[in-house]
Amino acid sequence: MRLTARLLALAFLFLPAIPQAAFAADGGEASRQVVASQPPGAAIASAHELATAAGFEVLEQGGNAFDAAVAVSAALSVVEPISSGLGGGGFFLLHDAASGRDVFIDARETAPAAATPDRYRDAEGRLDRERSQNGAWSAAIPGLPAGLVHVAGKYGRLPLSPSLAPAIRLAREGFPVYERLERGYAARRKVMERYPGTRAVFLAGGKPPMQGQLLRQPDLARTLEALAREGFDGFYRGPVAKKLLAGVRAEGGQWTAQELAAYQVHEREPLRFDYRGWEIVTAPPPSSGGVALAQMLQVLAGWNLADLDPAHRAHLTIESMRRAFRDRTFYLGDPGFVHVPVEVLASREYAAGLRATIHPEKATPSDIFSGLPTPLEDEETTHFSIIDAEGNRAAVTQTVNLLFGSGLVPPGTGVLLNNEMDDFALLPGQPNAFGVMGYAANAPEPGKRPLSSMTPTFMVSPDRVAVLGTPGGSRIITMVLLGVLGYADGLDAQAVAALPRYHHQWQPDVVEAETGAFSPEVASRLRAMGHALHLPEGSVSAGASSHFWGNLQTVMWDRRSGQLQGGTDPRNPVGKAEVRLRSGEAVAP
């Protein structure tokens, strides 16, 4: 507890904080009401309506939430290449209703042995961002295909093949290109069109994808068929693996067949803690999200946020973010390679030490001030949430890292490779594409998993169960925080998905906010407290220009009313949250 002691020693520097409230659940008459043992149906929220439909298609065949998770994940890998795919990785947070067990499936990518830090230095010794973000050297060994095989085989009720069938059909027959996909391709076009395999997919008709046109991916359909037929070996060994290796080597990369064949999914114990009557179940390392979420919420548990004015509530929330991201920088990494002091960092005692350093009226300056805004990440990464009629649930966040990952599709595979090497601390103290830094704990080593911000999360109270998560780079963590606070305030699922967002990540020492997140009065009061705000042009006045981020997808089951709800982020017009009752009736989320 040395970290806690150091923080407590700092407390005398600060004035007494805003009065703290008791940390307890409601014990009144309402808590003795009868709660339902099973939901009245199923709810799925995902970033694309075709993926949501794929999940329900598998449920209607007798599958459970875990089969549906495989179907939704694979379908998103087809229809959202901008965000995720078989060439990336992901985290599956699962709850088995029959046993009451929660499990975290780590299908995060791993570093190739050849990807040592010196490979990412330019001639002057600085970080070579071209190599860390584009092409073969930016790609880590994919984990998502192994994750799909593992979830289907161990937790699903159906064979893998029917759960992959909707994705195979979408890849073969095509789907209409949507505005976000067209815009994202335009942003990455110069990189993607370097590679013949990528051109074969996205320039198959001679022109780049355009809204409303069908995008067909026959090579990806064949890769998915091999995975459905042969399981793990269908991707990591055999013809598909040979094509992956050839495509990487043709662009100068140095993956090996042994590295592909040796990839392993890890099952981990989820991180769990309490927040004002809710049990929070969330992602352990190599995600940084769960530890940061535990720190922020347990710091904030010392105040009754509902009783505070908006400026003080935002101030305290920002200060909790600042402290959690500082610890992320120095302490978090792959627990298979470094000691991560999770028990200390996620403890109430440590949170009390952090809380004691917060001045109720003044911002705490970060160690090094920088006025640079946090780089945006709206389109990359995706999340979906599921509750089935038995009460099983899945929170899944998957990614290829940046927009269209590395941009490289090895010819004949249809698989767009990730650029997760940029998530490592390739050079100590050098910020990555999301402006976050790292040191030795997150340095690359052969087989090591890069630190992630993905934060799939469950919330469980005596009367409600919620599943939530989002893309957003380093902003994932703070968006999930605000979503948890929204549910704790009593909001419904759609209101949680629509909440305005703000973010602080220690470095740079700047508060980022969406359009309209702060009123002019709140923005002025935060500045008076010493917070540096980076706000969109006109964002605190009427008629502001648009500036939004994230794509939160959430479902919620109210066990007292028996109601199921779904919430899909209104920032994403192709997302879909749907509830279907046991009778087959679809109801408005």
Side-chain angles (χ1 to χ4, degrees):
M1 289 291 178
R2 286 178 293 178
L3 295 174
T4 306
R6 287 200 296 269
L7 283 165
L8 289 170
L10 293 172
F12 76 92
L13 297 174
F14 297 86
L15 295 175
I18 295 168
Q20 299 177 4
F23 185 87
D26 175 18
E29 182 66 28
S31 66
R32 294 193 290 272
Q33 294 176 10
V34 176
V35 297
S37 60
Q38 288 188 331
I44 302 175
S46 87
H48 200 289
E49 59 183 347
L50 293 173
T52 298
F56 278 113
E57 179 179 328
V58 169
L59 289 177
E60 290 166 1
Q61 294 176 33
N64 58 20
F66 315 128
D67 299 302
V70 172
V72 175
S73 173
L76 288 170
S77 297
V78 174
V79 301
E80 268 204 316
I82 191 172
S83 303
S84 70
L86 295 187
F91 295 145
F92 295 72
L93 180 62
L94 309 178
H95 172 79
D96 178 67
S99 66
R101 181 187 177 217
D102 298 308
V103 63
F104 182 80
I105 309 299
D106 175 358
R108 184 72 162 149
E109 304 90 333
T110 58
T116 55
D118 60 286
R119 297 279 193 175
Y120 299 91
R121 298 177 189 269
D122 63 18
E124 286 75 39
R126 297 171 301 194
L127 178 62
D128 185 344
R129 297 194 183 279
E130 169 62 31
R131 178 164 277 207
S132 71
Q133 296 178 15
N134 300 320
W137 281 100
S138 71
I141 304 299
L144 189 64
L148 299 178
V149 173
H150 184 89
V151 171
K154 190 167 182 179
Y155 298 100
R157 187 174 293 146
L158 302 176
L160 181 60
S161 182
S163 295
L164 294 184
I168 293 169
R169 185 175 64 247
L170 287 168
R172 182 184 301 112
E173 298 177 2
F175 65 93
V177 172
Y178 44 93
E179 187 272 338
R180 187 165 60 96
L181 182 58
E182 178 185 341
R183 174 167 42 85
Y185 181 86
R188 288 283 279 167
R189 181 174 182 175
K190 289 183 179 179
V191 171
M192 297 180 71
E193 293 181 7
R194 298 174 186 173
Y195 310 115
T198 311
R199 295 195 298 271
V201 174
F202 293 98
L203 292 177
K207 295 181 179 179
M210 301 196 58
Q211 189 172 349
Q213 294 179 345
L214 285 182
L215 178 61
R216 296 184 175 89
Q217 301 170 80
D219 285 341
L220 182 57
R222 285 187 282 271
T223 295
L224 283 162
E225 287 170 337
L227 188 66
R229 184 174 59 250
E230 302 170 35
F232 182 93
D233 287 355
F235 186 89
Y236 293 91
R237 300 185 179 96
V240 171
K242 290 178 180 178
K243 292 175 183 177
L244 291 170
L245 291 168
V248 167
R249 289 169 181 163
E251 300 301 333
Q254 294 183 16
W255 286 10
T256 70
Q258 292 75 19
E259 287 172 327
L260 270 178
Y263 182 86
Q264 291 185 341
V265 166
H266 288 318
E267 290 202 357
R268 304 187 190 276
E269 184 64 26
L271 182 62
R272 58 184 77 238
F273 59 94
D274 294 330
Y275 174 72
R276 303 185 73 84
W278 292 86
E279 181 188 40
I280 310 298
V281 183
T282 188
S287 172
S288 63
V291 172
L293 193 63
Q295 290 182 310
M296 293 184 295
L297 285 168
Q298 291 181 121
V299 166
L300 293 172
W303 295 280
N304 188 347
L305 297 181
D307 291 344
L308 301 181
D309 63 82
H312 279 97
R313 176 172 173 143
H315 163 65
L316 296 174
T317 304
I318 291 163
E319 290 302 311
S320 76
M321 294 173 179
R322 185 196 307 274
R323 285 152 176 78
F325 271 89
R326 187 268 177 191
D327 285 350
R328 180 195 193 276
T329 300
F330 292 102
Y331 298 120
L332 297 182
D334 183 344
F337 287 77
V338 297
H339 172 65
V340 182
V342 174
E343 290 186 4
V344 173
L345 294 174
S347 70
R348 290 188 182 185
E349 294 80 8
Y350 187 70
L354 293 173
R355 189 185 311 124
T357 67
I358 296 176
H359 193 297
E361 302 291 341
K362 294 182 180 179
T364 309
S366 296
D367 291 347
I368 302 173
F369 183 85
S370 169
L372 295 175
T374 308
L376 286 174
E377 191 250 11
D378 300 339
E379 324 288 6
E380 308 90 345
T381 307
T382 193
H383 177 87
F384 60 90
S385 298
I386 300 175
I387 296 176
D388 72 13
E390 298 168 34
N392 301 309
R393 53 186 181 263
V396 183
T397 311
Q398 59 190 52
T399 188
V400 288
N401 197 31
L402 302 180
L403 202 70
F404 287 102
S406 67
L408 171 61
V409 176
T413 67
V415 175
L416 184 65
L417 297 181
N418 67 85
N419 59 356
E420 292 294 353
M421 293 306 299
D422 189 65
D423 265 359
F424 281 110
L426 296 172
L427 292 182
Q430 290 288 315
N432 70 3
F434 303 119
V436 292
M437 298 185 300
Y439 291 88
N442 191 36
E445 298 179 54
K448 190 175 183 179
R449 294 162 196 245
L451 191 62
S452 172
S453 296
M454 295 186 290
T455 316
T457 297
F458 299 149
M459 299 177 63
V460 183
S461 76
D463 59 338
R464 288 188 292 166
V465 174
V467 183
L468 70 160
T470 181
S474 57
R475 290 184 173 93
I476 289 173
I477 302 168
T478 53
M479 281 188 278
V480 172
L481 168 69
L482 296 174
V484 169
L485 294 176
Y487 272 124
D489 285 341
L491 298 182
D492 64 25
Q494 188 54 47
V496 166
L499 279 169
R501 292 155 189 169
Y502 55 92
H503 173 80
H504 194 292
Q505 62 181 44
W506 182 58
Q507 298 291 351
D509 191 356
V510 175
V511 180
E512 301 275 348
E514 283 188 325
T515 295
F518 299 135
S519 69
E521 178 187 1
V522 169
S524 177
R525 293 181 67 186
L526 288 172
R527 286 193 173 104
M529 293 178 186
H531 293 286
L533 303 186
H534 178 78
L535 303 178
E537 183 80 22
S539 65
V540 293
S541 62
S545 60
S546 177
H547 181 97
F548 301 108
W549 65 71
N551 196 352
L552 192 140
Q553 307 294 329
T554 183
V555 295
M556 192 270 283
W557 170 32
D558 187 321
R559 295 193 285 190
R560 290 202 172 106
S561 70
Q563 184 185 30
L564 272 173
Q565 299 177 1
T568 190
D569 203 314
R571 300 157 182 81
N572 170 34
V574 298
K576 181 68 176 292
E578 186 173 344
V579 174
R580 295 189 189 180
L581 304 181
R582 283 191 177 86
S583 63
E585 177 188 2
V587 299

